[in-house]
Amino acid sequence: MGREERFPVWEAALLAGVAAAFATGLVGVYLSMPHSDYSFLKLPKNLQELQILTDHLEDYTSDYTVQVLVGYCAVYIFMQTFMIPGTIFMSLLAGALFGQLGGVALVVFAATAGASSCYFLSKLIGKPLVFSLWPDKLGFFQKQVAKRREKLLNYMLFLRVTPTLPNTFINLASPIVDVPYHIFFLATFIGLIPAAYVTVRAGIALGDLSSLSDLYDKQSIALLFLIGVVSVTPTLLGKNEKQQGKGPEMVASSS
């Protein structure tokens, strides 16, 4: 009983250590940049703030490309690791600064790295948090993973492409329900590409966006769901084959 109520010292130390590592990287980037007014550097909360940030960073991206890239990745991965909302603005920023191909590559890399960091952090200390925040979702996810163990990659791809479960929940809950990391990694890396493409493409024409709802038109949503259905089809076919295989076995055993 006493053990359950103790203050989680090493867990808190681990979180502080991870946060300090990201902070050190950002300080290093800051010190390598020229002296200037960087009051514009803050996480955007709306499209107007994102446009202001983009206008300023465009002046630095060509001359200080490495620093901007390192700073961008550190912020994105930190946000993913600690479940800070607003990564959609970071994805739009990647499109505005680095174009379609570079933006998609950057977003997929940073999002996968951040999701992986969250996965391992949750594996160490995340179980109480997930159980307290999403007990029902966790039970559902656990049952689905157990049922689809043989085609787990397809199911995880389906979850990444479609909004069936929140990405934050998937990152935190996957190690708890025994989703192997290589499956988690592949599903995250591949499954985030379609959404990253849509968001980065919108970021290239950032000035034309009036709200975040403009990101996903009917065509984009239909495409994402089509990809999700295709990814989960092998799982459904395997399930049907199993059921058909059980039928003759039951007939043979009864005769």
Side-chain angles (χ1 to χ4, degrees):
M1 189 81 174
R3 189 177 178 183
E4 291 179 359
E5 293 175 355
R6 69 174 177 81
F7 181 76
V9 177
W10 80 270
E11 291 92 335
L14 178 62
L15 288 173
V18 173
F22 283 111
T24 301
L26 288 175
V27 169
V29 170
Y30 177 79
L31 292 176
S32 67
M33 296 290 282
H35 293 290
S36 182
D37 178 17
Y38 293 109
S39 59
F40 64 88
L41 286 177
K42 61 179 181 179
L43 293 178
K45 297 176 182 176
N46 52 55
L47 290 174
Q48 185 179 4
E49 291 182 359
L50 177 62
Q51 186 66 65
I52 294 171
L53 179 62
T54 302
D55 292 341
H56 282 88
L57 285 180
E58 281 176 339
D59 299 333
Y60 292 94
T61 303
S62 56
D63 296 329
Y64 299 94
T65 307
V66 174
Q67 288 92 329
V68 173
L69 281 171
V70 172
Y72 177 93
C73 289
V75 171
Y76 200 121
I77 294 170
F78 180 85
M79 293 174 71
Q80 284 277 78
T81 300
F82 293 99
M83 303 170 289
I84 300 172
T87 52
I88 189 168
F89 293 114
M90 297 296 291
S91 298
L92 289 168
L93 180 63
L97 295 180
F98 300 103
Q100 185 71 70
L101 185 60
V104 170
L106 186 60
V107 169
V108 171
F109 166 77
T112 303
S116 298
S117 177
C118 187
Y119 174 99
F120 286 114
L121 203 60
S122 179
K123 189 171 186 177
L124 291 172
I125 60 176
K127 187 177 287 189
L129 178 65
V130 179
F131 270 103
S132 63
L133 289 179
W134 304 289
D136 296 333
K137 273 194 179 77
L138 185 63
F140 169 79
F141 190 33
Q142 195 162 25
K143 289 177 184 176
Q144 294 300 314
V145 168
K147 279 198 303 185
R148 306 173 195 277
R149 184 66 65 180
E150 293 182 6
K151 301 283 185 180
L152 190 53
L153 177 59
N154 299 97
Y155 178 62
M156 294 298 293
L157 275 171
F158 173 78
L159 293 181
R160 284 301 193 190
V161 174
T162 63
T164 307
L165 290 172
N167 278 326
T168 299
F169 170 78
I170 295 171
N171 295 343
L172 287 167
S174 290
I176 296 170
V177 299
D178 295 326
V179 174
Y181 176 67
H182 70 280
I183 296 289
F184 176 87
F185 173 83
L186 286 173
T188 302
F189 184 82
I190 299 169
L192 292 180
I193 292 175
Y197 174 83
V198 171
T199 312
V200 168
R201 185 183 62 179
I204 295 174
L206 186 59
D208 297 333
L209 284 179
S210 57
S211 69
L212 291 179
S213 60
D214 296 338
L215 280 176
Y216 296 100
D217 53 22
K218 292 180 181 178
Q219 185 178 358
S220 299
I221 293 173
L223 178 63
L224 291 177
F225 269 100
L226 178 61
I227 295 172
V229 169
V230 170
S231 68
V232 83
T233 297
T235 305
L236 298 175
L237 290 176
K239 188 177 179 182
N240 289 334
E241 287 174 4
K242 271 190 171 184
Q243 290 175 347
Q244 290 173 2
K246 283 181 180 178
E249 287 177 10
M250 290 176 67
V251 172
S253 61
S254 62
S255 60

